Amino acid sequence: MGQPQKPIAAEQQILSLGRVLQSLREEDDVDVLIETTISYLKEQFDYRLIWIALYDRLNHILFGKGGITPDRDTSFLRQRVVLSPGDLLEQVVIEQHPLGIADLQTEIRAADWRKVAEKFHIQGTIILPIRHKDRCLGLLLLGSERWGYLLTGEAKARLMMVLGELGAVLYQNEMDLQYKQTKRTDEPLLELLENFRTLTNLNQKLEAAVQATHKFVSPSRTNVYWFEREGRYFWCRMSNQLVKIDRNSSNQQAAGITVQELSDFYYALAVNQIVSIGDARSSLESHFTAKLLQRLKVRSLLAAPIIWQKNLLGFLAVESNEPRIWTETDKNFVQGVAGLISLVAPAESMESTVKQIQEDAQLTSQVAQGIYSQNDLQETLHSCAKRVLARLAATRFLLLQYDPEQNNYQFIYQSQPYNRRPLTFTLHPLKELDGQLLQRSTQAVEIENLDEDLRFFNWRPFLLEAGVRSLLVCKCTHEHIPAALLVITHETHRSWTTLEKELLWVVSQQIGVILRQWQLHNRTTQQQKTSQAFEECLRILTQSQNSKIEVKKKHLERTALEQIASILGCPLAVLLSWSPGESWAKIIPGVIENSKFGIFSEASIPIQAEALIQWALATESYLILKVDDLPPETRKWLNVPDKGQILLMALRTNADYETTGVVLLADYQECRWSEQNLSATITLISQLAWWRREKQITQLLESTTEELRQLNWYKHRRSEEIQRITAHSLRQIHDLGIPANELTQMRYQLLLRQLDHTATSMSGMLKLEHWQLNISWETIPVASLMKRSLERIENLVKQQKLWIGVHGLGQQIEEQSPKNSSVAKGVPTSNTQSSMAIAGDIVKIELVIHELLVTACNRSQIGGRIDIWCRRLYVSKTVDANYSSANTGAEHRTSLELSITYNGALEPELLTELHNNTPKDVLAASNLDQPPGLHLLICQNFMQKLGGQLNFYQLPDNRVVSRLLLPLVGHDY
């Protein structure tokens, strides 16, 4: 702070600096060091006020060691100064950096020194720390009468060198003094260990430990507190004031501390952490520190945990009625004594511990026997729960199973005292953190106080309401979401030992194996049950196919329903059945095993109005309902308890086929149907649907075949009778002879030949086509075929006043009206007019063409027009599926395309059904079941057998086309 008033030579300054540094290095006495420093500062620096103080970091106090003042009164320079927050001196001590003050008289942060400055007229001041290795050892205060008096660089360097040397010497002296004053813990601990060898019981050893600790640390009192797990409290077992305290004593010290009062103190001890509470310092939070000190009525406390095999047995406490800062030596000694106590404590209960280990081994072995025993699962768990609850002194034994369908944990087994009710609620799935906690755990997860512990938070409301206050949780399996959990609960706050938690862990793993085994057993049993159901259904189908065994359809359906219900174990199974086109469904009962379930089997159910049927038809697969969803109309014929559930599934085989029934299964709502059982049930219901469809188709075909056989027999016998009468009439005509009139004779002979030809053709049909068609092979010119076909519909054409035109036979297109002659003008009358001829069964082809022409006439409007188009086609053999066997040697064949086109009404549905690629449901109502669709379908099938094709379609201008493809022959027919 400015230059000295009396400058000296540089050599003299360096020599003085060297001498003082040498003096500081060689001196050990602190007072001499301080005096040497003050003398140097007085000699080399022009300051009216110099003060040196040493810092006590434990008590945060400065001790004045002397200096100089203007009036030479240094008594106040040796006073003790307590540092307070915000003080300039504390700022230098903490920050360890020099601090300059322009005018000390105006500085409000140095109240005491402000008065001194006013007294001695001190203004410019600098405060410098005396430090070494980041430790503040004291302060130097230099005051000047000049304002803002600063040090130059050279003077500051010399001053810092002197203070640095002083700090190093003071640090070394402090270390030497601390080493001399440090208590040796090894000898008292060795002596205590030797005493333990001569003492017989634990109380004597605890007394010796308390006396040794009290002697070494010298607190107000020394106590050993023991931890009681059931009840979670500490009681004073030994004290230097009250020896051999009984846990049942009414003395306040014997009552001790409950964990609920001071949970932080307990958890710190449980993790083997020493608790130190001294003057303005604590290893606990202030809230718990105050409560603990108030509870023990002390002002300082040092507590070391007594732990054996990770179990907290108690703690050793040294207590002081005055604020005290505990040294590291005190902490180490107390911790060492607590460690010795933890080594000798188990010896007291060694015999009982060995016996307990033997009983635990017996318990685990008996649980393991359940893995290969033939006992029932409930019996095995009952024996296990009884032993575990007795061993752990717990209230409830709970085994939980995760249900992925319901997404919750359910109790599959629980054991509790006779005066406690079983738990009836379900538990939510684990939170992610709780699941990870169980995944990482290798022993039971312990919750000592459910009211305060946040683990398994979503289970807390249910468990607390059930009276649970502490619990152990073990996973029985190692899945990502533990499928099975073992939970042991107690109605009070308590803790368990590591041995008990490890025992429960072993038991839980064995129970997990047992559960897995029984799950596999149940799954195997269910699979066998399902397999038997499938075998029984296949047997039913076998019986239904065997014509030698008379099995009624309803009996088979009931048997199938019994097998379906057996898979899910349903007490009610019925079938709502109907046939295609019906409006009412019948009830076919299958299983009714419970009086609470029933049906009114005589009821007739409207298909369109019944909600169950419509819901099932609107669902592709199965549908599960609650009874509450049923309308009142359904309850009139269906009786199911209020807490029931219903499964519906329509007997559906294909989306294009008619549904002919609905299967209804009912059970109690608490019964859970697994996906595996549902899948098997759906398969059997689908199998029943296909079987019913097959039976219905078979019945339909059998009845149709029977009707056609009757019709064929009747028409055949009638044709025989007509042929017999015709033949008899011809014989009589022949017997009468030929009339004499020449014209009459000519007509008579013509009619006679026609009758002979008709009788001959009928004889051939009756002989060759009694029960099957006979395909003959003939040829005929197309023109002749068309002429004969038009002659057969001449009367119908006249009645309808139709116009018919034939095109493509080698002549120009001409039209025929009802006023024309009987032969169509568009048709050539001789063989030379056309070279086209068709080959095949001409009689049947002519009948097909006649049917098509009759349909066109009937469907056309009065005065309408019918066009017949003929043209030659070349069809590849490789793409013609109906190619005639007579032409198999050619690569191509020639066909006649005969198209009959007319303006008329033909239902679009009929055109769609006549298309060959359209799937047809045999059981569904169809336009092909009756004429004209039936006749057109017969013609279509006829043409396929005759080697031709017949198709129907509609043109964009709404004209209907019947396209007939016939095989042509060569020119030399």
Side-chain angles (χ1 to χ4, degrees):
M1 301 174 70
Q3 297 296 328
Q5 295 179 357
K6 296 181 180 181
I8 58 176
E11 294 82 357
Q12 187 177 355
Q13 293 178 357
I14 295 175
L15 290 175
S16 298
L17 178 61
R19 284 194 300 268
V20 72
L21 293 178
Q22 184 67 26
S23 300
L24 294 176
R25 293 191 190 101
E26 295 176 355
E27 187 59 54
D28 293 332
D29 189 282
V30 175
D31 293 334
V32 176
L33 290 171
I34 299 298
E35 290 297 331
T36 302
T37 304
I38 293 174
S39 299
Y40 175 77
L41 295 174
K42 181 179 180 182
E43 176 186 351
Q44 297 294 326
F45 299 93
D46 184 16
Y47 286 99
R48 299 293 302 280
L49 179 62
I50 299 176
W51 178 58
I52 294 180
L54 297 182
Y55 174 60
D56 182 2
R57 68 180 180 279
L58 296 179
N59 297 310
H60 202 47
I61 297 174
L62 289 174
F63 292 95
K65 303 300 290 184
I68 62 172
T69 60
D71 62 355
R72 301 178 183 238
D73 181 12
T74 61
S75 58
F76 76 93
L77 297 180
R78 296 186 179 276
Q79 294 180 0
R80 187 180 71 170
V81 179
V82 179
L83 299 177
S84 58
D87 193 355
L88 289 177
L89 300 180
E90 186 192 47
Q91 179 180 344
V92 176
V93 168
I94 294 176
E95 296 180 358
Q96 299 185 27
H97 291 293
L99 178 64
I101 305 170
D103 187 357
L104 185 59
Q105 299 179 25
T106 60
E107 182 57 57
I108 61 175
R109 293 180 295 170
D112 295 337
W113 286 100
R114 183 179 178 184
K115 297 177 181 178
V116 175
E118 292 176 352
K119 178 180 179 182
F120 297 120
H121 306 289
I122 301 299
Q123 293 187 12
T125 305
I126 184 170
I127 306 175
L128 299 99
I130 303 173
R131 56 185 296 273
H132 184 73
K133 293 184 177 179
D134 294 331
R135 177 180 292 184
C136 184
L137 303 170
L139 293 179
L140 170 62
L141 186 145
L142 300 175
S144 173
E145 293 180 348
R146 298 177 60 183
W147 186 88
Y149 193 58
L150 301 175
L151 285 172
T152 63
E154 180 269 337
K156 183 178 180 180
R158 288 186 287 116
L159 180 59
M160 297 307 295
M161 292 175 65
V162 173
L163 293 181
E165 189 65 34
L166 177 61
V169 176
L170 291 176
Y171 178 80
Q172 186 62 41
N173 290 341
E174 184 178 337
M175 292 296 102
D176 294 341
L177 180 61
Q178 183 177 350
Y179 179 76
K180 292 178 182 179
Q181 293 178 348
T182 301
K183 299 178 183 179
R184 300 292 300 274
T185 60
D186 50 354
E187 293 180 0
L189 287 176
L190 290 174
E191 184 180 353
L192 178 61
L193 182 58
E194 187 65 26
N195 290 338
F196 280 175
R197 294 177 180 175
T198 60
L199 300 175
T200 56
N201 59 53
L202 180 61
N203 284 331
Q204 293 176 347
K205 295 176 182 179
L206 293 178
E207 181 181 356
V210 168
Q211 296 299 334
T213 303
H214 193 77
K215 179 180 178 181
F216 185 87
V217 182
S218 300
S220 299
R221 58 177 177 266
T222 303
N223 299 322
V224 172
Y225 290 88
W226 218 246
F227 181 55
E228 193 66 28
R229 294 190 173 276
E230 190 169 353
R232 299 176 78 227
Y233 66 91
F234 294 97
W235 60 281
C236 185
R237 182 168 182 174
M238 189 62 62
S239 174
N240 68 308
Q241 297 177 352
L242 300 171
V243 182
K244 298 181 181 179
I245 300 175
D246 189 354
R247 77 178 69 182
N248 298 321
S249 173
S250 60
N251 186 283
Q252 183 179 1
Q253 273 197 310
I257 308 167
T258 63
V259 173
Q260 190 171 3
E261 286 179 315
L262 298 167
S263 57
D264 273 23
F265 176 65
Y266 166 73
Y267 291 127
L269 296 175
V271 296
N272 199 18
Q273 177 182 342
I274 189 169
V275 176
S276 174
I277 303 176
D279 187 12
R281 298 184 180 185
S282 175
S283 59
L284 299 177
E285 295 182 3
S286 59
H287 172 66
F288 289 98
T289 299
K291 289 182 64 175
L292 180 60
L293 295 179
Q294 183 181 4
R295 179 68 181 82
L296 297 177
K297 295 183 178 181
V298 296
R299 299 186 66 183
S300 301
L301 173 68
L302 184 62
I306 302 172
I307 293 180
W308 170 253
Q309 291 184 343
K310 301 180 181 180
N311 296 316
L312 180 64
L313 305 179
F315 65 92
L316 173 63
V318 290
E319 306 165 4
S320 178
N321 295 329
E322 298 296 332
R324 177 171 174 174
I325 295 180
W326 306 105
T327 64
E328 291 296 326
T329 304
D330 296 336
K331 296 179 182 178
N332 293 335
F333 185 81
V334 173
Q335 198 168 17
V337 175
L340 292 177
I341 295 176
S342 67
L343 293 177
V344 300
E348 181 186 28
S349 58
M350 187 62 68
E351 183 177 351
S352 61
T353 302
V354 173
K355 183 179 179 181
Q356 190 63 64
I357 293 174
Q358 293 175 349
E359 293 178 355
D360 292 347
Q362 183 181 7
L363 170 60
T364 55
S365 64
Q366 290 179 350
V367 176
Q369 291 176 3
I371 299 176
Y372 54 85
S373 67
Q374 300 297 325
N375 296 332
D376 183 72
L377 177 62
Q378 298 293 322
E379 181 180 349
T380 303
L381 293 177
H382 175 73
S383 175
C384 173
K386 182 178 179 181
R387 291 180 174 271
V388 170
L389 290 178
R391 169 66 178 87
L392 301 182
T395 306
R396 293 181 184 272
F397 179 98
L398 306 174
L399 188 59
L400 286 76
Q401 181 78 29
Y402 177 71
D403 187 353
E405 299 176 7
Q406 302 294 325
N407 193 27
N408 58 21
Y409 279 93
Q410 301 177 1
F411 298 106
I412 60 175
Y413 179 81
Q414 51 181 314
S415 178
Q416 60 278 327
Y418 294 107
N419 58 348
R420 299 292 188 277
R421 293 182 179 180
L423 305 181
T424 58
F425 51 81
T426 59
L427 294 174
H428 298 304
L430 293 172
K431 298 294 185 181
E432 183 178 0
L433 290 178
D434 295 330
Q436 293 176 357
L437 174 65
L438 289 177
Q439 280 294 316
R440 295 190 301 265
S441 64
T442 56
Q443 67 175 16
V445 177
E446 179 183 24
I447 296 181
E448 301 178 12
N449 187 351
L450 189 60
D451 298 295
E452 299 177 354
D453 205 314
L454 296 181
R455 291 175 295 178
F456 305 99
F457 186 80
N458 54 340
W459 290 4
R460 287 179 61 196
F462 304 97
L463 296 177
L464 289 174
E465 187 177 355
V468 177
R469 292 298 177 268
S470 57
L471 65 152
L472 291 176
V473 183
C474 282
K475 62 180 180 181
C476 300
T477 57
H478 296 276
E479 290 89 347
H480 177 66
I481 299 179
L485 296 176
L486 176 60
V487 180
I488 302 298
T489 71
H490 202 277
E491 294 181 345
T492 61
H493 301 150
R494 64 156 299 174
S495 64
W496 286 270
T497 65
T498 303
L499 184 61
E500 291 172 335
K501 289 185 283 188
E502 291 176 351
L503 170 65
L504 187 64
W505 173 264
V506 174
V507 171
S508 68
Q509 301 308 296
Q510 293 175 341
I511 289 178
V513 176
I514 296 174
L515 285 178
R516 180 64 176 171
Q517 175 186 350
W518 279 98
Q519 287 174 354
L520 293 175
H521 173 72
N522 293 336
R523 187 177 301 175
T524 302
T525 303
Q526 186 61 41
Q527 289 176 349
Q528 292 176 350
K529 191 176 181 180
T530 304
S531 177
Q532 292 175 357
F534 275 91
E535 290 177 0
E536 181 65 21
C537 287
L538 291 176
R539 185 184 63 81
I540 294 173
L541 295 180
T542 304
Q543 288 182 349
S544 65
Q545 294 294 336
N546 193 343
S547 59
K548 296 182 179 180
I549 301 178
E550 295 295 333
V551 184
K552 293 184 178 180
K553 178 183 176 183
K554 289 187 178 180
H555 173 69
L556 296 177
E557 290 173 340
R558 290 192 183 100
T559 306
L561 289 174
E562 291 175 0
Q563 301 304 319
I564 293 172
S566 66
I567 295 179
L568 296 179
C570 296
L572 176 65
V574 297
L575 173 63
L576 306 179
S577 176
W578 65 87
S579 297
E582 293 183 349
S583 301
W584 298 85
K586 300 178 181 178
I587 299 178
I588 299 178
V591 177
I592 303 178
E593 297 180 351
N594 195 318
S595 59
K596 295 182 179 180
F597 296 82
I599 56 171
F600 180 53
S601 58
E602 301 300 326
S604 295
I605 303 172
I607 298 176
Q608 298 297 327
E610 177 53 50
L612 291 183
I613 296 178
Q614 294 303 315
W615 290 342
L617 295 178
T619 306
E620 293 184 2
S621 184
Y622 64 91
L623 178 65
I624 297 179
L625 302 172
K626 295 182 179 179
V627 176
D628 299 336
D629 301 331
L630 298 181
E633 293 76 10
T634 302
R635 298 221 178 192
K636 294 180 181 179
W637 60 270
L638 178 62
N639 182 27
V640 179
D642 293 336
K643 294 183 178 180
Q645 59 182 349
I646 295 174
L647 184 145
L648 297 174
M649 184 173 177
L651 295 181
R652 184 181 290 106
T653 55
N654 188 287
D656 298 322
Y657 294 165
E658 292 283 337
T659 302
T660 59
V662 172
V663 173
L664 185 150
L665 304 174
D667 202 345
Y668 293 102
Q669 191 171 339
E670 58 267 15
C671 295
R672 304 300 179 190
W673 296 329
S674 65
E675 289 295 333
Q676 181 182 3
N677 291 344
L678 285 175
S679 177
T681 302
I682 300 312
T683 303
L684 286 182
I685 293 177
S686 299
Q687 189 180 36
L688 175 62
W690 281 105
W691 175 81
R692 277 174 52 86
R693 175 176 173 79
E694 179 191 4
K695 290 297 296 180
Q696 291 173 343
I697 292 176
T698 302
Q699 292 177 353
L700 176 62
L701 295 179
E702 287 178 351
S703 61
T704 304
T705 301
E706 182 179 358
E707 292 176 359
L708 292 177
R709 285 176 177 173
Q710 294 173 359
L711 180 62
N712 182 66
W713 174 84
Y714 164 73
K715 289 186 175 181
H716 196 78
R717 290 293 181 257
R718 288 282 295 173
S719 299
E720 287 179 343
E721 180 65 17
I722 294 173
Q723 190 272 342
R724 184 187 65 80
I725 295 174
T726 302
H728 180 70
S729 299
L730 284 174
R731 284 195 300 271
Q732 290 180 345
I733 292 174
H734 283 291
D735 293 340
L736 291 175
I738 300 174
N741 186 293
E742 182 177 357
L743 180 59
T744 304
Q745 181 180 359
M746 183 182 302
R747 292 187 59 84
Y748 174 80
Q749 290 178 347
L750 180 60
L751 293 175
L752 189 60
R753 283 197 300 269
Q754 290 179 352
L755 287 174
D756 286 336
H757 179 71
T758 302
T760 303
S761 63
M762 288 186 63
S763 300
M765 180 193 71
L766 294 174
K767 179 179 180 181
L768 300 176
E769 296 181 313
H770 187 183
W771 291 109
Q772 62 183 3
L773 293 175
N774 179 48
I775 306 300
S776 61
W777 190 259
E778 305 172 74
T779 60
I780 186 174
V782 176
S784 300
L785 177 64
M786 296 306 304
K787 182 177 180 180
R788 288 164 52 176
S789 298
L790 293 175
E791 286 177 351
R792 296 182 62 179
I793 63 170
E794 186 173 0
N795 293 332
L796 184 59
V797 169
K798 290 180 179 180
Q799 292 175 4
Q800 296 290 105
K801 300 179 181 180
L802 299 174
W803 296 77
I804 298 180
V806 180
H807 317 279
L809 292 181
Q811 259 186 217
Q812 295 181 352
I813 299 177
E814 297 186 16
E815 296 181 350
Q816 176 184 339
S817 69
K819 299 179 181 180
N820 291 109
S821 63
S822 61
V823 181
K825 291 187 176 181
V827 180
T829 57
S830 66
N831 292 337
T832 60
Q833 292 176 306
S834 176
S835 61
M836 289 191 299
I838 63 171
D841 195 326
I842 302 303
V843 175
K844 295 181 177 62
I845 292 175
E846 190 173 349
L847 290 175
V848 170
I849 295 175
H850 175 71
E851 186 68 35
L852 296 178
L853 291 174
V854 170
T855 301
C857 292
N858 291 332
R859 294 280 171 166
S860 297
Q861 299 178 356
I862 296 176
R865 173 171 177 164
I866 300 176
D867 291 313
I868 304 174
W869 301 85
C870 302
R871 69 183 183 119
R872 191 189 306 267
L873 290 180
Y874 295 92
V875 183
S876 173
K877 179 178 69 174
T878 57
V879 298
D880 187 9
N882 299 317
Y883 193 61
S884 176
S885 59
N887 298 321
T888 55
E891 291 296 330
H892 295 81
R893 74 163 183 150
T894 306
S895 299
L896 172 66
E897 183 187 49
L898 182 64
S899 299
I900 303 174
T901 306
Y902 60 94
N903 285 305
L906 196 63
E907 295 80 358
E909 295 81 5
L910 178 58
L911 288 175
T912 301
E913 293 178 9
L914 287 173
H915 196 277
N916 294 329
N917 297 327
T918 304
K920 301 178 180 62
D921 186 2
V922 178
L923 299 177
S926 173
N927 293 311
L928 304 180
D929 294 338
Q930 56 188 356
L934 177 60
H935 294 167
L936 296 178
L937 178 63
I938 293 174
C939 292
Q940 227 177 19
N941 297 333
F942 251 98
M943 291 312 303
Q944 288 182 357
K945 292 183 178 180
L946 296 176
Q949 294 182 15
L950 176 58
N951 297 308
F952 304 91
Y953 55 92
Q954 194 166 17
L955 297 176
D957 58 359
N958 294 328
R959 286 185 298 165
V960 179
V961 178
S962 301
R963 180 177 179 270
L964 185 62
L965 199 64
L966 300 172
L968 285 175
V969 295
H971 296 282
D972 55 346
Y973 63 90

